[in-house]
Amino acid sequence: MTETNKVLENSYAVSVFRALRRLQQAGEVHAKRLSRYGGLTPLQLLILQVLAVEKELTASQLARFVSLSPASLSGVLDRLESRGLITRRRDEQDRRRQWLLLEDSGYAALEEAPSLLPGHVRQRFAALPEWERHALLAALLRAAELFEAPEDEEE
């Protein structure tokens, strides 16, 4: 690799990392605000919202929806269940399978909880032309894919 290419590659790396860092910082600030006012972490709120839409899911289905390993999801589900926001129901045909359902108190928590995105972000996003909203979402999803480790590679 030539010195010019290395400098250019490092420049992109620094720019990408700075943009990701800004998003991470803004996300952390909003996550603290969510916890303080809504009593739910952003991940817990996301799980409740997914269950409100999907009605019932298995833990492995939900893990894919929220991009978590089933093991990581388990503790979050335990906390939501202990608060009475969700329940687990055994499948009648396959007793090994459990269905996750949102309780009435979970729906109530969603009604009271602040939005996953800050109001100013929702307003600015809504003000964008439709093509730009789609492009921005596509770019964020693509960036997330780029950061996923290849399956055959150890971290």
Side-chain angles (χ1 to χ4, degrees):
M1 179 179 286
T2 68
E3 190 63 30
T4 303
N5 287 344
K6 188 170 178 84
V7 168
L8 185 59
E9 183 180 302
N10 285 339
S11 174
Y12 279 120
V14 167
S15 295
V16 168
F17 189 81
R18 287 183 64 214
L20 289 171
R21 182 70 188 124
R22 286 179 61 194
L23 280 171
Q24 181 183 18
Q25 286 174 316
E28 288 170 357
V29 167
H30 187 61
K32 287 178 185 171
R33 210 174 290 132
L34 277 176
S35 273
R36 189 170 45 242
Y37 296 115
L40 295 167
T41 67
L43 179 58
Q44 290 171 335
L45 184 53
L46 175 62
I47 288 168
L48 295 181
Q49 288 181 348
V50 168
L51 286 174
V53 170
E54 297 297 322
K55 303 305 178 210
E56 63 178 20
L57 292 170
T58 64
S60 59
Q61 290 170 327
L62 181 60
R64 283 191 296 279
F65 263 96
V66 298
S67 302
L68 271 184
S69 70
S72 297
L73 179 63
S74 180
V76 180
L77 293 176
D78 289 344
R79 286 186 288 285
L80 291 171
E81 187 175 33
S82 71
R83 290 179 61 180
L85 302 175
I86 66 166
T87 53
R88 300 176 210 219
R89 180 184 51 80
R90 287 242 180 252
D91 188 298
E92 293 178 15
Q93 278 72 42
D94 183 352
R95 303 294 293 162
R96 295 169 296 177
R97 179 181 290 172
Q98 288 187 345
W99 293 100
L100 302 169
L101 302 124
L102 194 58
E103 287 290 328
D104 288 341
S105 57
Y107 285 104
L110 279 175
E111 287 293 320
E112 295 173 13
S115 174
L116 273 172
L117 295 176
H120 68 278
V121 173
R122 291 191 325 273
Q123 289 172 346
R124 290 174 182 169
F125 190 78
L128 295 173
E130 186 176 3
W131 71 265
E132 197 169 357
R133 290 192 307 260
H134 287 288
L136 182 56
L137 181 56
L140 287 169
L141 291 169
R142 184 69 171 134
E145 287 175 5
L146 292 174
F147 275 84
E148 290 175 359
E151 291 179 20
D152 59 347
E153 200 176 285
E154 290 293 318
E155 289 187 56

